[in-house]
Amino acid sequence: MIKKVLIANRGEIAIRVMRTCKEMGISTVAVYSEADRTSRHVQYADEAYFIGPSPSNESYLVIDKIIEAAHASGADAIHPGYGFLSENAVFSERCKKEGIEFIGPDAFAINTMGDKITARKTMIAAGVPVVPGTTEPIQDIKEAVKVIKEIGLPVMVKASAGGGGKGMRLVTKEEDIVSSVSAAKSEALAAFGDDAVYIEKYINSPHHIEFQILADKHGNCVHLFERECSVQRRHQKVVEETPSPIMTEKVRKEMGKHAVAAAKAVNYAGAGTIEFIVDDDLNYYFLEMNTRLQVEHPITEWVVGVDLVKQQIKIANGEKLSFKQEDLKQNGHAIEVRIYAEDPDNNFMPSPGKIRYIDEPLGLGIRHDGYVYSGYEIPMFYDPMISKMIVWGKDREEAIARMRRALDAYTLTGVKTSIPYLRRIMDVPAFVEGRYNTHFVQDHAGELKPEEDKDEQLQDIIAITAFADYLDSLKQSQSKPDNNGKALSPWKLFGRKKSVIRL
Ligand code: ADP
Ligand code: ADP
Ligand code: MG
């Protein structure tokens, strides 16, 4: 039985994992780098171990240091969170050798799914539909051109070792193939140390829909339905929701079965996610499997009523799943937004720095998973995600209304955040109506701009109206000396421009 867990991560996910540990009576051990001395995940843990300099390749990514801290603290298990070492097969294997339970799958599952080419082959063998394309790395350009002739443009050139939206190139013209393959190769080599790339068909009007699965060590596996993650920027998720607004009961059942088959094909144990790319007609294709807890896992927890971290720990303990597929139901609707320290109105430039003041929204149906506090300085060394706002409503409409309230009530000063941008998404008619695909952010760029520069013409009208008002007020003040003899200043009038135009 696991009694003490070391969390090999930082920030919001470290705290998220510790919360469940506390509820289960399990002691928690934090690790931290130089930059994280004042991080809340350190304060939240029962004990904490310093593991080195700020860059993650000198701290959070150094297996020896994590193992050393685990032994020093007497932890009997390690939870890797997401990112960092969570999908590292060497780390999973090392934990096993050291007699420490890795709360996640074994090296075989991580290796098979971590390499996208191997994963594609494994899925084909398991009868799971994959995106049409190659099942071997591209060796030369001639071959690439031949493949493209077969499956047709547009195509995606993708790094086999890719992740986090990196190492991917969309090719729409044949003449771009040479440059795209070499660009994807060099990006993959730099980011993942492996330059193998393959080609798959680009699915038009793509929707990203993924299935949460849970599998125990006794061969039982269930899915916990889907998450819709099509609101993306640069292939990275911005908003996630469940249920998906485009899903039907029939397709949900089929996809769920394929998700379970995918996990079983690698003898999976633990929590995992099967990502699919889905077209407008609900044809779906396996994209990849993430062999870890996902950033957006809370929306599933809320709608299905299952604590996924608790399940991960129980599975690691060797327990059997306590529910069957037919016991699981979707209840209501949940939405998550990822809040980043970045400036959405300045090309999403990172905005690290000190948080002067933070006031988080509260109330019915709001869950806020974060780690920052007033006076906390966001380090520049890691992912600039500050927190995740998750809301639940009895239906999608209520959930959207609740998200608007939550974002309106969220005060955070000192750094720029994506909150205003996320708030605007909640008002875009295509989003509100559930009619969107992965091109949403690009297609609705105009609607997602800040109020002030949405329409220059409108601005002109506002200025002219304000100026006319100014002239009027001048006239009035001249004809009415009892107005204290003062006209309203043009600045005041310009300040009123919104009310002028809205009247
Ligand atoms: P999701 O956000 O759906 O959980 P992502 O693929 O966006 O999945 O990854 C989650 C986190 O893990 C992000 O912080 C991302 O940068 C990081 N990540 C994902 N894959 C890799 C990888 N191969 N190498 C390094 N970091 C990764
Ligand atoms: P990563 O490992 O970086 O998360 P994925 O294979 O999961 O890479 O793809 C990330 C995103 O890129 C998808 O959610 C989708 O928006 C887009 N994408 C990937 N492959 C395709 C494809 N074949 N057709 C259309 N869009 C795709
Ligand atoms: Mg992915």
Side-chain angles (χ1 to χ4, degrees):
M1 282 290 274
I2 294 169
K3 290 198 182 66
K4 196 183 232 188
V5 172
L6 180 143
I7 295 92
N9 216 300
R10 63 177 301 282
E12 74 85 17
I13 193 60
I15 294 179
R16 157 72 194 92
V17 172
M18 289 179 205
R19 285 190 171 124
T20 288
C21 290
K22 290 190 183 198
E23 287 176 16
M24 295 176 79
I26 294 171
S27 308
T28 53
V29 182
V31 290
Y32 63 97
S33 69
E34 191 60 49
D36 274 341
R37 285 189 184 280
T38 57
S39 178
R40 186 150 274 172
H41 81 271
V42 178
Q43 299 153 12
Y44 196 75
D46 296 320
E47 52 191 297
Y49 288 78
F50 177 69
I51 52 164
S54 306
S56 50
N57 59 6
E58 294 175 50
S59 49
Y60 296 107
L61 289 172
V62 183
I63 293 176
D64 282 339
K65 289 187 176 177
I66 306 281
I67 297 289
E68 200 185 311
H71 285 318
S73 66
D76 41 28
I78 294 181
H79 194 300
Y82 55 70
F84 295 134
L85 294 171
S86 63
E87 293 180 279
N88 187 310
V90 173
F91 185 51
S92 171
E93 193 63 28
R94 177 73 187 277
C95 289
K96 201 172 176 180
K97 278 207 191 96
E98 300 280 341
I100 302 165
E101 189 66 36
F102 177 73
I103 304 177
D106 62 18
F108 169 74
I110 298 177
N111 275 331
T112 310
M113 289 303 194
D115 182 76
K116 292 188 182 185
I117 293 175
T118 314
R120 279 166 66 78
K121 284 187 198 163
T122 312
M123 290 306 105
I124 293 168
V128 178
V130 303
V131 185
T134 56
T135 47
E136 296 297 336
I138 290 300
Q139 300 297 353
D140 57 63
I141 297 300
K142 246 204 231 147
E143 189 196 337
V145 172
K146 190 174 148 242
V147 170
I148 290 173
K149 286 240 164 76
E150 274 164 30
I151 60 177
L153 286 168
V155 297
M156 287 288 252
V157 179
K158 290 169 86 167
S160 194
K166 289 201 190 82
M168 239 185 274
R169 284 287 181 287
L170 170 64
V171 184
T172 53
K173 291 183 287 210
E174 199 178 313
E175 59 262 36
D176 292 344
I177 185 73
V178 177
S179 61
S180 299
V181 168
S182 62
K185 266 181 178 289
S186 55
E187 192 176 316
L189 189 64
F192 313 110
D194 173 0
D195 75 348
V197 298
Y198 66 102
I199 291 176
E200 66 180 31
K201 177 138 191 70
Y202 184 80
I203 303 301
N204 282 315
S205 187
H207 302 260
H208 175 119
I209 299 181
E210 57 186 33
F211 272 69
Q212 175 70 51
I213 64 99
L214 278 175
D216 65 22
K217 293 177 179 172
H218 308 276
N220 304 301
C221 180
V222 297
H223 70 82
L224 290 84
F225 311 100
E226 80 279 12
R227 288 184 290 257
E228 167 73 59
C229 311
S230 297
V231 179
Q232 300 183 348
R233 240 193 98 245
R234 297 190 179 155
H235 305 304
Q236 286 181 342
K237 299 156 191 165
V238 178
V239 179
E240 304 100 354
E241 62 175 316
T242 184
S244 163
I246 64 164
M247 189 56 81
T248 64
E249 203 44 56
K250 183 171 168 275
V251 176
R252 176 177 288 125
K253 268 219 173 91
E254 265 179 43
M255 285 179 83
K257 275 191 191 145
H258 276 132
V260 168
K264 283 195 166 168
V266 290
N267 291 321
Y268 199 80
T273 297
I274 317 291
E275 297 188 335
F276 294 96
I277 200 93
V278 183
D279 69 18
D280 279 338
D281 300 322
L282 297 186
N283 297 306
Y284 59 89
Y285 310 92
F286 171 86
L287 206 53
E288 65 161 343
M289 179 172 188
N290 293 325
T291 53
R292 55 169 163 86
L293 195 65
Q294 204 94 346
V295 174
E296 57 276 19
H297 75 279
I299 57 173
T300 298
E301 295 191 314
W302 217 333
V303 163
V304 188
V306 171
D307 176 338
L308 288 168
V309 173
K310 191 176 201 169
Q311 293 305 319
Q312 286 186 299
I313 293 171
K314 286 173 151 221
I315 290 165
N317 263 332
E319 289 179 39
K320 283 187 178 164
L321 288 179
S322 60
F323 39 77
K324 297 204 160 58
Q325 190 64 55
E326 55 269 26
D327 300 328
L328 300 172
K329 300 258 166 338
Q330 289 170 297
N331 175 33
H333 198 97
I335 307 176
E336 175 185 277
V337 295
R338 300 186 185 193
I339 295 166
Y340 282 89
E342 63 188 14
D343 183 359
D345 302 330
N346 186 12
N347 205 23
F348 296 88
M349 280 267 281
S351 175
K354 196 177 214 149
I355 293 175
R356 275 214 306 260
Y357 178 72
I358 177 170
D359 190 15
E360 304 165 53
L362 296 168
L364 180 66
I366 294 180
R367 165 175 170 180
H368 186 230
D369 279 20
Y371 77 106
V372 305
Y373 52 87
S374 298
Y376 176 72
E377 182 141 2
I378 300 170
M380 46 173 285
F381 297 96
Y382 317 106
D383 192 274
M385 193 170 79
I386 298 174
S387 69
K388 307 178 313 203
M389 183 78 74
I390 306 112
V391 299
W392 181 91
K394 67 178 190 323
D395 53 28
R396 191 167 185 270
E397 200 183 340
E398 188 174 89
I400 293 174
R402 195 157 275 159
M403 183 59 88
R404 291 188 185 126
R405 168 173 75 80
L407 293 173
D408 284 341
Y410 195 163
T411 312
L412 197 157
T413 63
V415 300
K416 291 258 180 5
T417 76
S418 52
I419 295 171
Y421 183 80
L422 298 165
R423 178 65 185 82
R424 278 175 242 144
I425 293 179
M426 295 300 134
D427 281 342
V428 174
F431 180 80
V432 173
E433 288 153 25
R435 291 181 289 105
Y436 66 85
N437 59 28
T438 62
H439 304 151
F440 173 81
V441 160
Q442 208 183 327
D443 289 352
H444 298 276
E447 290 158 87
L448 292 169
K449 279 205 180 120
E451 190 82 4
E452 299 93 67
D453 49 58
K454 255 185 190 161
D455 187 340
E456 282 187 8
Q457 242 177 357
L458 188 69
Q459 292 304 307
D460 289 348
I461 296 169
I462 291 168
I464 291 163
T465 317
F467 191 64
D469 276 7
Y470 170 61
L471 291 179
D472 258 7
S473 75
L474 270 183
K475 268 190 218 151
Q476 274 176 20
S477 63
Q478 279 159 6
S479 62
K480 278 195 227 152
D482 52 35
N483 191 19
N484 282 340
K486 277 189 213 143
L488 276 174
S489 89
W491 299 114
K492 275 200 177 142
L493 281 164
F494 273 86
R496 284 179 184 179
K497 64 191 177 186
K498 279 185 186 160
S499 57
V500 169
I501 204 76
R502 274 180 189 160
L503 274 172

